[in-house]
Amino acid sequence: MNKKFLDLGLQPLANEYPTYYSKKQIKYRLKIYFNTKTKLVSISKRIPSKKMFTNKYPYRSSMSQTMKNSFKELSNEIKKRFKPKLMLEIGSNDGALISNFNTKQALGVEPCSNLAKITKKKGYITYDNYWDLNLAKKIKKDFKNVDLIYSANTLTHINDLNNVFRSIDNLLSKNGILIIEDPSLLECIKKNSYDQFYNEHIYLFSTLSLKNIINKFDLEIFDIKNIKTHGGSLRYYIKRKGNKKFRISKNLIVQENKEKKYGLAKFSTYLKFNKNVVKSKTKLLDLLNKIKKKNKKIIGYGATAKATTVLNFCNIDHKIINYFTDITPDKINRYMPGKKIKIYKYNKNILKKVDFVFLGAWNFKDEICKKEKDFIKRGGKFITHIPLPNII
Ligand code: TYD
């Protein structure tokens, strides 16, 4: 049974950055549910993929060094540990991962054609289609099987999970490996990171729920890694049950026990989370208003989808956060979704007359603090809402 535990109010599409502000930008009610049987956490309103993942999709994976390093490290591991002849990435974005492989070794699937164009240009075969059984069959026709399928921050964006895994099952070779990487529900609840919820994130996986989903397809998790990306993600290594080459690692048991111990299988944990989210909102607004009363200037750093959830849930506008800055080409000179807060192109001097910086990209705190040493030296302060609203 699906039980509601959180309502984040009306939220615009998190990656739809308009060129002008309009009160009429469409918003959808964002309610979050826990399934008491499958332990799966999901949002209620499902927006069709075609509305969210268009040929103007702005998000670019290779905008941060942290992400590029993480993909590089993983590619080295894939080559050494699994030695795939051919691999496929579902949601290859601008090629941050596949560009670590040669063009004969890696295929991309990327429905946002503006992004698919980038990897095609580099010589990678990229299917600009949504991931489903028809596409899997088409790729199978072209290449027979693939030995490894990788997908980061994509499968949780697709409504029909049965179709997702049926399609993977169809294309993956007999001893093939599937690696999935997504924000960890445990980390999200622990860090009170309610901003992981937005329309694109239809599901937030835990080990407990993912096990249930893939079991139907005779797939099983055999290893798991906690990684730092996106504020705490899990990388799941999955194989067919019949594949005896890889043993079940104790990392899996450790993670499952951690999740159970923290209460991810119990609805009461999510009700507690709800209380913490409400507290976080009050505390953040108190903090920002206090700073504004002293006539200090606050701007936002990192025009993230996560920040959109925060701004719209807490009702923060340009009177509090003057503007955002970001390095992503397709976000510049646009507005934060749902709010009259403009996004300006990042440059070295942008923080010169700024007193406080709200970390929209709190997950890149270390990378940003390193970059902004001058700002910190002259007394500039960062504000984060994770795990609790605070000045750091
Ligand atoms: P990310 O945290 O991956 O976002 P989302 O919540 O949308 O999934 O995105 C980070 C954003 O921050 C991205 O728009 C790029 C931007 N950014 C900067 O502008 N400067 C930086 O130094 C870094 C690391 C990121």
Side-chain angles (χ1 to χ4, degrees):
M1 188 173 76
N2 269 335
K3 286 173 96 173
K4 188 183 94 182
F5 65 89
L6 188 61
D7 185 343
L8 292 172
L10 289 173
Q11 295 281 349
L13 292 185
N15 267 296
E16 186 182 77
Y17 295 83
T19 48
Y20 61 93
Y21 170 72
S22 162
K23 275 189 185 155
K24 289 189 189 142
Q25 185 171 10
I26 299 174
K27 294 185 179 176
Y28 306 88
R29 194 72 182 262
L30 186 63
K31 292 184 200 166
I32 334 288
Y33 288 75
F34 171 68
N35 189 297
T36 46
K37 192 169 163 225
T38 63
K39 316 299 173 203
L40 184 61
V41 164
S42 63
I43 64 171
S44 56
K45 177 88 190 156
R46 311 290 163 91
I47 317 286
S49 298
K50 280 190 179 136
K51 270 200 179 163
M52 294 192 284
F53 309 110
T54 65
N55 58 3
K56 290 191 178 66
Y57 193 70
Y59 184 80
R60 298 274 300 268
S61 306
S62 35
M63 286 293 123
S64 109
Q65 199 51 46
T66 314
M67 289 308 286
K68 285 209 280 195
N69 293 347
S70 169
F71 286 130
K72 173 106 196 144
E73 238 173 72
L74 173 65
S75 329
N76 290 338
E77 183 190 334
I78 287 178
K79 288 175 199 170
K80 254 195 175 160
R81 192 172 172 195
F82 304 114
K83 304 181 184 69
K85 271 198 225 110
L86 184 64
M87 70 152 297
L88 169 87
E89 183 180 15
I90 306 172
S92 48
N93 197 274
D94 61 359
L97 176 98
I98 57 174
S99 48
N100 293 297
F101 293 83
N102 74 46
T103 53
K104 296 269 175 295
Q105 269 181 315
L107 309 170
V109 169
E110 180 47 68
C112 304
S113 55
N114 58 321
L115 300 172
K117 227 188 250 170
I118 302 172
T119 46
K120 281 184 189 176
K121 226 181 183 172
K122 289 184 186 161
Y124 293 92
I125 293 174
T126 311
Y127 295 85
D128 46 10
N129 306 78
Y130 295 96
W131 177 251
D132 63 13
L133 195 56
N134 285 336
L135 180 61
K137 283 180 178 166
K138 180 173 168 24
I139 302 174
K140 198 168 177 156
K141 227 173 160 188
D142 294 345
F143 290 94
K144 223 175 135 199
N145 287 130
V146 298
D147 311 310
L148 191 136
I149 296 179
Y150 172 70
S151 191
N153 308 302
T154 300
L155 303 187
T156 49
H157 297 44
I158 308 176
N159 185 25
D160 188 347
L161 288 177
N162 282 333
N163 191 304
V164 162
F165 288 100
R166 190 174 303 122
S167 314
I168 288 172
D169 180 32
N170 185 274
L171 184 62
L172 195 65
S173 61
K174 193 170 151 240
N175 289 319
I177 299 295
L178 166 67
I179 304 176
I180 302 177
E181 192 171 307
D182 274 287
S184 151
L185 178 65
L186 180 62
E187 290 305 311
C188 161
I189 302 283
K190 269 189 184 169
K191 293 194 171 88
N192 208 22
S193 163
Y194 63 88
D195 51 358
Q196 286 293 1
F197 294 106
Y198 44 92
N199 336 82
E200 287 178 12
H201 286 183
I202 297 174
Y203 305 101
L204 213 66
F205 286 157
S206 62
T207 311
L208 301 177
S209 64
L210 187 62
K211 251 182 105 169
N212 283 331
I213 299 162
I214 63 174
N215 190 37
K216 286 178 247 171
F217 299 93
D218 268 346
L219 296 166
E220 63 182 358
I221 304 169
F222 67 93
D223 200 1
I224 209 161
K225 259 186 202 164
N226 274 279
I227 52 172
K228 286 196 172 141
T229 55
H230 289 284
S233 295
L234 281 174
R235 185 178 285 155
Y236 307 90
Y237 298 76
I238 296 166
K239 65 175 183 68
R240 293 187 191 283
K241 285 185 185 165
N243 179 350
K244 302 288 174 215
K245 200 173 156 202
F246 296 96
R247 284 219 213 124
I248 309 284
S249 149
K250 70 169 189 294
N251 296 341
L252 173 67
I253 294 126
V254 171
Q255 181 65 28
E256 266 187 285
N257 286 340
K258 264 203 268 178
E259 291 182 2
K260 278 185 199 153
K261 203 167 160 203
Y262 199 83
L264 288 197
K266 288 187 294 195
F267 186 61
S268 55
T269 307
Y270 300 91
L271 290 180
K272 235 185 266 161
F273 175 67
N274 173 310
K275 285 202 177 119
N276 290 335
V277 172
V278 174
K279 266 188 219 155
S280 172
K281 173 177 176 174
T282 312
K283 200 162 175 216
L284 180 63
L285 286 173
D286 282 353
L287 181 69
L288 296 173
N289 285 325
K290 251 184 216 156
I291 295 172
K292 284 318 280 183
K293 267 195 192 136
K294 290 183 188 155
N295 279 325
K296 302 282 183 195
K297 183 170 176 179
I298 310 172
I299 70 151
Y301 198 120
T304 57
K306 292 188 288 294
T308 292
T309 295
V310 176
L311 299 179
N312 286 281
F313 175 60
C314 299
N315 202 13
I316 295 167
D317 66 10
H318 63 287
K319 287 178 209 132
I320 298 181
I321 296 183
N322 292 160
Y323 56 86
F324 265 72
T325 185
D326 200 287
I327 52 173
T328 312
D330 291 338
K331 293 183 182 177
I332 287 158
N333 289 332
R334 288 168 177 266
Y335 284 84
M336 288 302 288
K339 290 289 161 195
K340 195 177 178 179
I341 306 179
K342 198 155 182 189
I343 304 162
Y344 289 105
K345 183 177 178 175
Y346 174 80
N347 71 63
K348 267 198 144 183
N349 296 324
I350 205 151
L351 304 188
K352 258 196 176 150
K353 289 189 176 136
V354 170
D355 306 297
F356 289 87
V357 167
F358 172 72
L359 278 172
W362 57 266
N363 42 319
F364 294 119
K365 186 178 83 191
D366 294 347
E367 185 174 339
I368 292 170
C369 286
K370 223 192 233 170
K371 211 153 127 188
E372 305 305 342
K373 274 191 191 131
D374 289 348
F375 171 70
I376 298 170
K377 242 191 229 160
R378 65 162 185 79
K381 299 271 186 245
F382 286 105
I383 300 167
T384 184
H385 61 292
I386 301 293
L388 274 173
N390 225 330
I391 297 170
I392 47 171

